[in-house]
Amino acid sequence: MASSSRRKFLQTAALGSAAALTGTRLLAHEKKVPVIIKDNPIVVSTWGFGKEANAGAWEILSKGGRALDAVEAGVKIPEADPKNQTIGYGGLPDRDGHVTLDACIMDENYNCGSVMCLENIVHAISVARMVMEKTPHIVLAGDGALQFALANGFKAQNLLTPESEKAWKEWLKTANYHPEINIENRLYDKSKDPMPGGPDNHDTIGMMAIDVNGNLSGACTTSGMAFKMHGRVGDSPIIGAGLYVDNEIGAATSTGVGEEVIRIVGSHLVVELMRLGRAPEDACREAVERIIQRSPEKAKEIQVGFIAINKNGEYGGYSLQPGFEYAVQSKSVTGVFPAKSHYK
Ligand code: ASP
């Protein structure tokens, strides 16, 4: 072996053994600059209720499972929880009393699937995954999405719980559409009935995970803004708005008033800012600032939050208003953390 190639071999071997010693891992595809994932697998999701959802994802990630399987399993937990009135079964309905679900999922190869305005199926995320895996399309909406789900073995059920019907009937007394800012910094506590502090009229679960192979996936699912117009679709099922995953760079997801996120294609913007070198929290902050620049007066009255994770497993979040929080689970971190916000 020539001395220069021998030197290169020794350097590479030393890097590999250092990684083995510290429990980190070099990514095979990162030839020029080895990226060391510090704490994978890892899962990050929006809001306090993300903690329970992360635990579901962790069951899969900790056994070496795929990030895509983990995020699907994770968000199915709040989808099935009738006490969570902003996602899946028990979600608050639109102004006509229909619970309509929006969801999307994206894997490490830019594969993605989405359902919009889906009724009567609890696990919208699994229908979105099936759209991704079994059709030539990316989005199915409304009755077409429902027919597709039924044809593929999903069971129809009424998603409107008595609690959510009661909240809707209460809302009908004034029929004033005004998204509340969810300012309570709180952990979702299942023992309280139904949501602590009264029903929130919006809050989505967006979840992103990195598996042991260093691959990223994300999922996002919601019943959308409570008392919205029938047929309204928010940011959550729109790839690039509510969720975006780029396996080379990172992933981002959003919550809050979806119309403002769609305008700036928020999650894609956050990922592109990370591509330019921003840390996850900084990328989320810049996306939030873009919303403020467009409409400073409106921004004072609404909530939008982003969370992001980069390929190194670094994560962060940022929101317009205080009260937004995100949940993290990895080998070394389990918890719910407040995001920094523009307004204090
Ligand atoms: N982004 C969701 C929507 O606009 C709601 C939320 O996350 O609060 O439908």
Side-chain angles (χ1 to χ4, degrees):
M1 195 182 277
S3 70
S4 72
S5 36
R6 185 177 150 73
R7 201 162 36 241
K8 263 189 207 139
F9 169 76
L10 287 174
Q11 279 168 354
T12 316
L15 263 179
S17 58
L21 277 175
T22 56
T24 56
R25 203 175 44 73
L26 300 183
L27 294 179
H29 73 276
E30 295 282 354
K31 297 264 162 39
K32 290 184 208 123
V33 187
V35 172
I36 298 172
I37 290 188
K38 294 177 191 118
D39 196 18
N40 73 320
I42 182 167
V43 54
V44 184
S45 59
T46 51
W47 300 108
F49 50 65
K51 190 176 177 195
E52 203 185 5
N54 285 355
W58 188 250
E59 286 276 306
I60 291 172
L61 291 172
S62 59
K63 292 185 187 119
R66 191 178 169 202
L68 183 71
D69 295 327
V71 294
E72 181 190 5
V75 303
K76 281 173 78 171
I77 290 171
E79 277 187 339
D81 181 355
K83 289 190 174 174
N84 187 320
Q85 290 181 292
T86 59
I87 299 162
Y89 176 53
L92 291 168
D94 65 20
R95 59 188 58 182
D96 299 336
H98 303 274
V99 181
T100 69
L101 305 183
D102 290 343
C104 74
I105 193 160
M106 190 161 185
D107 77 5
E108 71 277 15
N109 293 314
Y110 298 101
N111 294 312
C112 41
S114 158
V115 287
M116 299 179 177
C117 212
L118 173 67
E119 292 185 52
N120 296 315
I121 303 288
V122 175
H123 292 302
I125 199 65
S126 300
V127 185
R129 179 166 178 178
M130 210 172 261
V131 172
M132 172 172 95
E133 291 179 338
K134 289 202 170 170
T135 79
H137 307 304
I138 290 178
V139 183
L140 289 180
D143 190 51
L146 175 61
Q147 294 314 321
F148 171 75
L150 295 175
N152 282 283
F154 289 84
K155 297 276 168 280
Q157 78 173 74
N158 178 16
L159 302 183
L160 187 64
T161 54
E163 290 78 15
S164 289
E165 187 172 12
K166 194 169 151 222
W168 168 56
K169 291 201 166 138
E170 199 51 43
W171 177 82
L172 281 177
K173 289 180 187 163
T174 57
N176 174 24
Y177 182 71
H178 180 71
E180 305 284 331
I181 297 168
N182 301 331
I183 48 169
E184 256 183 298
N185 198 350
R186 48 152 177 63
L187 286 180
Y188 173 47
D189 178 355
K190 272 183 103 165
S191 64
K192 295 196 180 141
D193 192 22
M195 289 285 269
D200 289 333
N201 64 11
H202 64 89
D203 277 2
T204 292
I205 185 146
M207 177 181 282
M208 311 167 297
I210 304 180
D211 61 29
V212 285
N213 295 315
N215 284 323
L216 269 156
S217 289
C220 185
T221 179
T222 188
S223 50
M225 305 298 292
F227 319 130
K228 60 197 174 185
M229 289 175 71
H230 185 58
R232 180 266 189 187
V233 171
D235 57 325
S236 307
I238 299 179
I239 298 295
L243 174 74
Y244 197 68
V245 178
D246 184 322
N247 205 43
E248 296 295 308
I249 305 297
T253 188
S254 62
T255 181
V257 176
E259 282 74 5
E260 301 311 308
V261 178
I262 294 170
R263 281 186 227 284
I264 63 159
V265 198
S267 293
H268 185 259
L269 174 62
V270 172
V271 171
E272 291 306 300
L273 287 164
M274 291 196 290
R275 192 190 304 279
L276 294 175
R278 307 292 195 281
E281 183 184 302
D282 290 338
C284 293
R285 181 178 44 72
E286 283 190 43
V288 164
E289 283 167 0
R290 187 80 60 97
I291 290 171
I292 300 166
Q293 276 157 21
R294 193 199 76 83
S295 186
E297 287 311 308
K298 188 165 189 189
K300 286 181 194 155
E301 288 173 11
I302 59 163
Q303 176 65 302
V304 170
F306 293 100
I307 58 171
I309 187 165
N310 68 17
K311 193 67 180 170
N312 296 338
E314 294 158 341
Y315 53 82
Y318 202 86
S319 57
L320 270 172
Q321 313 292 339
F324 178 46
E325 55 198 3
Y326 56 91
V328 182
Q329 171 124 32
S330 68
K331 270 177 267 172
S332 58
V333 184
T334 302
V336 177
F337 304 96
K340 287 189 195 148
S341 57
H342 180 83
Y343 299 107
K344 307 296 165 205

